Amino acid sequence: MEEKSGMIGKWLKKHLHLYVAATRHNFVLSIRDGSVDLSNFKKWLAQDYIFVREFVPFVASVMIKASKTSDDKNDMEAILGGLTSLNDEIDWFKQEASKWSIPLSGTIVHKANENYCMFLSSLMLPEVEYAVAITAFWAIEAVYQESFAHCLEEDNKVSQELQETCKRWGNEKFGHYCRSLQNIANRCLEKAPDHVCARAEVAFQRVLEHEVEFWNMSHEGVGKSIDIV
Ligand SMILES: Cc1ncc(CO)c(N)n1
């Protein structure tokens, strides 16, 4: 029988290439070195606001699974913390959009974003196991934590106006929250049958692929020539 403790750590090693693609994307590196094209940043911001609004019902669905099937009552607090931070995040997106004069209501949803949101919907189905959903949830948060924490590491040249964005996901408290989700996922995976673990591993890989596509979006034409056709 396969040793299952610390499953996430094993998958991070096994899929390191994909994890690095998702957490060291050129867009993120350009924020870190100060060379980011602000129009790309604005595209990302407008699309991420749409994503975050879709992410809320997904997190709520993870909460429902936890309340029905989790063997540890503390899971609820961790997930509730996630919902609370999404509440702040939505406010922050609105403020940031007004700072950059981005009209959030008229944004055309990019295909990559739509695909990612459809993937989230598929994970909301009641038949998706808690272990699978919590693994995906952790991965989604961890990519942003890892990416933006990297932006804040030594010798960064993040411009003043993007500091706050990096701190939003790169701060230590968010890091701690991601580690709590990782611990929950590890605990669930340890107890899950092999076929459920296999599904969680696939969900983890899919999240990373969607995250790469999401970053890619920022340097493609959004809302202009491509979307008008
Ligand atoms: C695309 C994407 N992934 C992860 C997060 C983290 O909440 C986010 N805001 N957007």
Side-chain angles (χ1 to χ4, degrees):
M1 171 135 173
E2 201 188 345
E3 173 55 58
K4 281 188 177 170
S5 62
M7 208 54 141
I8 299 284
K10 279 180 203 139
W11 293 345
L12 284 171
K13 281 197 198 109
K14 185 171 164 191
H15 305 291
L16 189 62
H17 190 71
L18 199 50
Y19 189 68
V20 169
T23 56
R24 296 290 184 270
H25 190 275
N26 273 336
F27 175 66
V28 170
L29 299 179
S30 76
I31 292 177
R32 184 186 145 81
D33 70 19
S35 70
V36 65
D37 178 335
L38 283 178
S39 79
N40 291 348
F41 176 77
K42 291 180 194 178
K43 277 182 216 163
W44 164 79
L45 190 87
Q47 292 295 322
D48 211 36
Y49 174 69
I50 295 171
F51 177 83
V52 165
R53 294 195 73 95
E54 297 289 324
F55 191 43
V56 174
F58 166 71
V59 178
S61 80
V62 180
M63 174 71 98
I64 292 169
K65 291 185 207 297
S67 75
K68 286 188 177 153
T69 60
S70 177
D71 56 1
D72 188 334
K73 287 199 159 36
N74 296 320
D75 291 9
M76 186 173 278
E77 279 82 343
I79 301 165
L80 204 51
L83 282 169
T84 310
S85 81
L86 285 170
N87 187 27
D88 296 344
E89 220 164 285
I90 286 176
D91 281 344
W92 177 82
F93 272 105
K94 288 179 186 160
Q95 272 175 38
E96 199 70 5
S98 93
K99 172 173 135 190
W100 297 99
S101 311
I102 305 167
L104 288 178
S105 56
T107 315
I108 300 162
V109 187
H110 192 287
K111 194 72 193 153
N113 198 359
E114 194 178 301
N115 289 342
Y116 201 174
C117 292
M118 268 161 44
F119 171 70
L120 287 185
S121 292
S122 73
L123 291 175
M124 285 166 63
L125 298 173
E127 59 265 35
V128 173
E129 295 84 358
Y130 177 49
V132 176
I134 194 86
T135 299
F137 179 29
W138 159 76
I140 294 167
E141 298 289 46
V143 167
Y144 266 41
Q145 210 287 319
E146 182 86 32
S147 300
F148 287 109
H150 178 63
C151 289
L152 295 173
E153 278 165 15
E154 236 178 303
D155 300 327
N156 77 74
K157 298 188 180 63
V158 176
S159 67
Q160 192 56 40
E161 55 201 340
L162 301 188
Q163 289 276 342
E164 218 193 290
T165 303
C166 298
K167 285 183 192 146
R168 168 148 293 278
W169 290 279
N171 75 75
E172 195 31 57
K173 189 164 167 254
F174 198 77
H176 180 264
Y177 153 70
C178 288
R179 282 191 293 281
S180 312
L181 294 181
Q182 181 170 348
N183 291 338
I184 296 172
N186 271 329
R187 193 197 75 233
C188 293
L189 292 164
E190 205 171 325
K191 290 173 185 151
D194 288 349
H195 71 279
V196 173
C197 282
R199 283 208 276 271
E201 185 175 3
V202 171
F204 166 61
Q205 290 169 266
R206 291 292 98 80
V207 166
L208 298 179
E209 288 162 7
H210 282 296
E211 290 288 341
V212 171
E213 291 300 325
F214 203 93
W215 295 131
N216 283 344
M217 213 166 45
S218 65
H219 50 75
E220 285 168 7
V222 176
K224 293 201 172 71
S225 51
I226 286 180
D227 287 317
I228 288 168
V229 258

